[in-house]
Each structure stands twice: as C-alpha cells, then as structure tokens.
Amino acid sequence: MERFDLIIVGGGAGGFAAATKASELGAKAVIINSGLPIGGTCVNVGCVPSKVLLEIGNEYYLPQHPRFEAVRNGHSATFDFEAAIREKNGMVDFLRESNYIKVAEGLAGLTIIEGRGKFISPKQVEVNGQMLATDKFIIATGSRPRILPFKGIDDVHYITSREALSLSRLPKSMIVIGAGPLGLELAQIYARFGTRITVLQRGNQILTWSEPEVAEELQRCLEAEGILINTQAHVEMLREEGNMRVVDAKVGSNLQTFKAEELLMATGVVPNTEDMGLELAGVEVTRDGFVQVNGELQTSVPHIWAAGDVVGKPFLETIAAKEGYTAASNALEGTNKAIDYDSVPKAVFTDPQVASVGLTEEEFMKRYNFCSCRTLEIAQVPKAQAIKETRGLVKMTIHPETQVIVGVHMVAPMAADLIHEATLAVKFKLTIDNIIDTVHVFPTISEAFKRVAQSFTRDISKMSCCVE
Ligand SMILES: Cc1cc2nc3c(=O)[nH]c(=O)nc-3n(C[C@H](O)[C@H](O)[C@H](O)COP(=O)(O)OP(=O)(O)OC[C@H]3O[C@@H](n4cnc5c(N)ncnc54)[C@H](O)[C@@H]3O)c2cc1C
C-alpha cells in the first residue's frame, strides 16, 4: 500500500491549489481525479468556456448596436455557431494544458492518478483497485448541475450548463429555468447568438442573493435586448410536443405555457459526495450532501479537510482555490487559517456585468438592526455620459457610526473589473472619507465608486464633475 503525506480527492481548482501548497512544503502528495478531465469544472465546463462564448456573443452583437448616431446601421457581421464552439474548445484545451497539465508536471512530489477515489477507512482510499494511505486528506470533489424533480422531468429532453456550452447546433429558441449567474450568462450568450430566450425564475427577482436594485436593473437591461424574463414562475409540468419542449408554469396566478427547442436547467448545483465512502471515513455531510467543515475547513474527522464547491460556500473558482491552499496549509503546517468570506467579491459576466462584495443592506440590517446606504446611477458618472454607456447602478452600504464601507453591489459595464477597489475597501475596512480623499482618474467609470461615497454627505446632482 503506497503512503503519501497528503491525499487529495478531486483535481479541480481546489485540488490543484492544495497540491501546489503541498509541493511548496516539500510534501509527497497525490491528486485522484475522475469524471471531468483534469482541471475540473472551471476550465472544462465552467468559467473558461462560458466566458469565451460570452465574449464571442459580445463581439457579434455589440457592433450591430452602436451607441453613437455617427455610426449608422451598425456593422453586419456573420456568425458561425459551430466555429464558436470549436474556438471555445480550442481555448479550453489550451488552458487545461497550460494551467493544469504543465503546472502539475512542475510540482515536485505530486502524483496524479486518473480514477474514482473512495474511502474504505478513515485513513485509506481505494482507486482503480489500488490502496493509498495517509494521515492527511483533502476532499475537493466539486459539484455538478442540480436537476429539480419537476413533474414530467423523466420524459422530457433537457440540457444543463455542461451541454449548453457544447451544443452542436444553434437552437432557434430556448427556455432557461433559473435566473442565477449561470442561467443568465447562458441566456445572454444564446440571445446574442440569435436564439429566442425565455427565462423562468421561481423567486421574486433574478439573482436572488443580490441587492434588489441591482437585480431589477440587470433585468431591465436583459429585457431591453429581447430576453423574456418571468419572475414568480412556478414550474408545474414539463412535457414534449413534437420537437419542442413545453413548460407549463404558474406565473403569478396565471397558468402559462412556454415552448422552445431547448430546455436548459440552471437550477443550482449538488455536491459530488455520494458513493465515495464518506460514511466509512466518518465524514459528516449536511442535509443537502455538502461536506460539513469548521472555519478552518476541517471536517468532522480531524485529519480530513475539504475545499471548493463540495463545502457549499460561494461556488467560485477563486474560493475553491483559496480554500484548497488554506486547507493544505492547515493540514500540513498545522496552521489554523480561516477565510474571510465577507470580503470575497463575486461577479456575473452578463453585459452589463454584476459584481458585489460584502454585505447587502438586508444582511447588514439583520446583523446590526441599523444601516446607511446610497445608490448611484451609472448615468450620473461623467464618463458614462460621454461614452453613452449609462446602464447600471452602484449601491454602497456603510456602518452609520464609523462610516466604514461594508458592502458594494453594482451592475455596470466591466463591473467585475471595477469591484476590486470596493473589495480592498471592505477587506481593509476603509471609510467613505478614505475613498473620497483618493484621487481617481477622470473620466472613468471607476469614479462611480467615489461618487457614491460622496453621496453620503452631499447632493452630488448639484456638483460639477471636477469637484473633489
Ligand atoms: C457554467 C459555469 C460557469 C462558471 N463561471 C465561473 C466564473 O466565471 N468565475 C468563478 O469564479 N467561478 C465560476 N464557476 C464556478 C467554478 O467553476 C467552480 O466554483 C470551481 O471550478 C469549483 O472547483 P472545485 O475544485 O471545488 O471543483 P471541480 O472543479 O468541480 O473539481 C472537482 C473534480 O473532482 C472530480 N471528482 C468528483 N468526485 C470524485 C471522486 N470520487 N474521485 C475522483 N475525482 C472526483 C470531478 O469530476 C472534478 O474533476 C462557474 C461554474 C459553471 C458551471
């Protein structure tokens, strides 16, 4: 039986970050991976393919919709869906090779085994009939799309985000069930490619976790480009009619029927924790199957840690990687590191993008029972006016007594890039005066952040754009 210093089950972002830390510490580690190719969700069926296709959609759509009158009729591009999928596949292959396979080759002490890992005791894992043993484990097996047990689900053809990123033919119409980040990104990808999109969202707003103002503004922008969005839509029944998928849903109090060529389930994720012998190791999971961990990512078994989607914190590549690295440090160095999830930024890569960090107004109210917030429309930023790109808004929440910034939530072009100033503010507990006192480049959309900070103490609608 081969022994290792660290056994990592799962070869995605979490597993790789853990392996990197193990290698830095001179440990003998093994990654066991199966299911998705090495690199896991992000590079193969997640961040990378979705962002490539989003950008292809933007390149095709935006020149056809110029903002300036001087550019008449837009530019008439042609679009080849099969080429888009090929181009996306090429980028996935390239980044898997450069960011994972080549990186792994350079990590001293690391072995990768292709196969399904299964605990057979608290200190032993079996893979391909081979037994491996260690005193330290990290579970980083990720998640996969969740399929809700809608009536008729077994008799209807549907796709998940995985198939949606690799369709062989551009559908004329698509129903997207679920208006979270993945559902909305895929909705816009296909809408911009030319597919007629209908989104069905059970909750009162799209992006249920976001500030309502942000969700409302994004919905307005998506609808303005022809995406049909139904909130408060409760799916009653799925069925097929010829080549069409049919969804009967109660929207508000009206029963409505939606038909489309493709039906995309974007209803969240479930953890990959079944059939891997967690009960034999003594690792406890939540009711939904996520591995239970403490603040230091340690499971109910002290020598087993877990990281990434499988622990059910924000489902982000960056979090999986940070957790993997932290878990490996805690496991191998005996540290007690924890992650501050309050200052983790997240983004939705629609156009305009959504990005947020820290608490929403409602979350702050729940914790402290008082709050101070301001919302600024991007249209109030000089750069936005100059370039005629006025979609979006930014909402800032501060502690009313200390004026420390506790949350920033925005919808704006390039919001995913803009959020980092806010991230530093939340992480390092900056006040609105710290931001106001910082000279920002004029004219930039980043000035939105300074302007919203200024709006706590003055009426910015009466300010010249150049006043401090
Ligand atoms: C469409 C889409 C778009 C996304 N876009 C973004 C984005 O823009 N930005 C962002 O930050 N995040 C994004 N995410 C989320 C991000 O991809 C995930 O949060 C992240 O990749 C999770 O990494 P992980 O290491 O926890 O799991 P994974 O990357 O899923 O890796 C787990 C690996 O373990 C394997 N495995 C499972 N069980 C076993 C077993 N028993 N034995 C061996 N191997 C096993 C799996 O097959 C997989 O290869 C996106 C996700 C999707 C689906």
Side-chain angles (χ1 to χ4, degrees):
M1 182 178 317
E2 190 165 2
R3 285 199 67 83
F4 291 88
D5 298 321
L6 181 68
I7 293 180
I8 303 161
V9 190
F16 256 77
T20 303
K21 181 69 188 171
S23 180
E24 283 168 11
L25 295 171
K28 181 185 174 194
V30 59
I31 287 181
I32 303 168
N33 186 68
S34 82
L36 292 172
I38 202 78
T41 301
C42 185
V43 70
N44 294 296
V45 290
C47 331
V48 169
S50 58
K51 266 77 261 179
V52 174
L53 292 180
L54 273 164
E55 203 45 39
I56 293 175
N58 294 347
E59 285 262 308
Y60 177 49
Y61 176 88
L62 293 175
Q64 297 177 60
H65 299 82
R67 297 191 300 272
F68 291 94
E69 283 164 27
V71 185
R72 299 247 166 87
N73 303 327
H75 309 287
S76 45
T78 55
F79 176 64
D80 179 343
F81 179 69
E82 285 173 30
I85 297 293
R86 270 201 309 277
E87 217 165 338
K88 179 271 298 178
N89 288 343
M91 188 57 77
V92 166
D93 291 346
F94 169 72
L95 289 175
R96 188 195 309 113
E97 179 74 20
S98 58
N99 286 349
Y100 291 93
I101 296 170
K102 287 266 182 280
V103 168
E105 285 167 10
L107 292 179
L110 177 66
T111 304
I112 294 186
I113 299 178
E114 190 60 39
R116 194 172 162 73
K118 194 166 177 173
F119 283 92
I120 50 166
S121 79
K123 294 204 170 179
Q124 288 167 308
V125 159
E126 188 244 299
V127 54
N128 303 333
Q130 188 188 348
M131 301 299 168
L132 310 180
T134 183
D135 291 329
K136 308 277 170 65
F137 288 91
I138 293 179
I139 301 166
T141 46
S143 66
R144 62 183 187 281
R146 176 167 67 152
I147 306 302
L148 293 177
F150 294 121
K151 205 167 155 195
I153 188 85
D154 294 335
D155 302 318
V156 76
H157 172 80
Y158 61 84
I159 57 173
T160 68
S161 59
R162 293 190 180 180
E163 294 80 33
L165 293 166
S166 290
L167 287 180
S168 53
R169 188 182 68 81
L170 180 65
K172 287 197 178 64
S173 53
M174 184 186 287
I175 296 167
V176 180
I177 300 184
L182 307 190
L184 294 178
E185 287 182 8
L186 286 161
Q188 196 174 40
I189 287 172
Y190 277 95
R192 290 195 163 184
F193 287 171
T195 301
R196 200 170 60 255
I197 298 287
T198 305
V199 177
L200 301 178
Q201 161 74 345
R202 190 173 47 182
N204 292 338
Q205 65 171 62
I206 61 171
L207 299 178
T208 43
W209 45 264
S210 87
E211 288 283 12
E213 297 90 335
V214 167
E216 216 171 279
E217 174 64 359
L218 179 64
Q219 180 167 342
R220 190 189 66 75
C221 296
L222 295 177
E223 286 175 339
E225 59 182 78
I227 297 174
L228 300 172
I229 299 179
N230 296 276
T231 52
Q232 290 186 299
H234 295 263
V235 174
E236 302 253 301
M237 170 91 183
L238 306 178
R239 56 199 169 85
E240 303 231 332
E241 262 181 37
N243 286 334
M244 302 294 272
R245 325 294 155 218
V246 182
V247 180
D248 296 317
K250 222 176 202 163
V251 183
S253 53
N254 298 329
L255 190 61
Q256 293 189 32
T257 296
F258 302 90
K259 291 184 189 177
E261 281 185 13
E262 290 287 1
L263 173 60
L264 168 64
M265 295 289 173
T267 45
V269 296
V270 289
N272 294 325
T273 46
E274 64 287 288
D275 296 333
M276 59 176 296
L278 290 184
E279 61 296 342
L280 298 177
V283 173
E284 283 175 19
V285 296
T286 66
R287 212 160 48 102
D288 297 329
F290 291 96
V291 175
Q292 261 178 357
V293 288
N294 63 19
E296 294 162 17
L297 299 160
Q298 197 171 27
T299 70
S300 50
V301 182
H303 67 272
I304 304 179
W305 285 258
D309 282 8
V310 78
V311 304
K313 297 277 173 30
F315 301 109
L316 295 173
E317 188 273 346
T318 39
I319 283 296
K322 185 138 185 94
E323 287 175 345
Y325 201 82
T326 304
S329 171
N330 289 346
L332 295 171
E333 296 182 291
T335 51
N336 302 96
K337 291 179 188 159
I339 293 169
D340 170 17
Y341 292 95
D342 278 352
S343 63
V344 171
K346 57 183 173 198
V348 185
F349 290 85
T350 45
D351 172 34
Q353 297 175 347
V354 170
S356 56
V357 61
L359 304 179
T360 60
E361 177 181 357
E362 192 182 326
E363 286 164 347
F364 191 83
M365 280 297 284
K366 268 191 200 145
R367 282 192 200 181
Y368 302 103
N369 217 18
F370 56 56
C371 195
S372 187
C373 313
R374 291 288 184 278
T375 300
L376 174 102
E377 290 180 2
I378 293 296
Q380 291 173 271
V381 180
K383 170 74 180 270
Q385 294 159 356
I387 65 169
K388 288 193 162 186
E389 177 48 288
T390 52
R391 298 172 301 162
L393 56 86
V394 50
K395 179 168 176 180
M396 181 180 277
T397 300
I398 64 171
H399 190 293
E401 283 157 11
T402 61
Q403 305 209 317
V404 165
I405 298 163
V406 296
V408 177
H409 301 260
M410 63 197 299
V411 51
M414 304 291 284
D417 287 85
L418 298 176
I419 199 66
H420 295 105
E421 182 179 3
T423 303
L424 289 174
V426 170
K427 184 171 165 72
F428 294 104
K429 301 188 177 13
L430 301 186
T431 64
I432 50 171
D433 283 338
N434 293 140
I435 300 305
I436 295 168
D437 195 36
T438 303
V439 175
H440 286 61
V441 173
F442 173 85
T444 55
I445 301 290
S446 301
E447 286 181 298
F449 189 46
K450 180 171 173 173
R451 290 216 138 209
V452 72
Q454 285 171 321
S455 72
F456 281 92
T457 52
R458 58 206 294 184
D459 180 358
I460 57 156
S461 67
K462 297 203 172 100
M463 275 170 54
S464 158
C465 63
C466 309
V467 170
E468 265 299 294

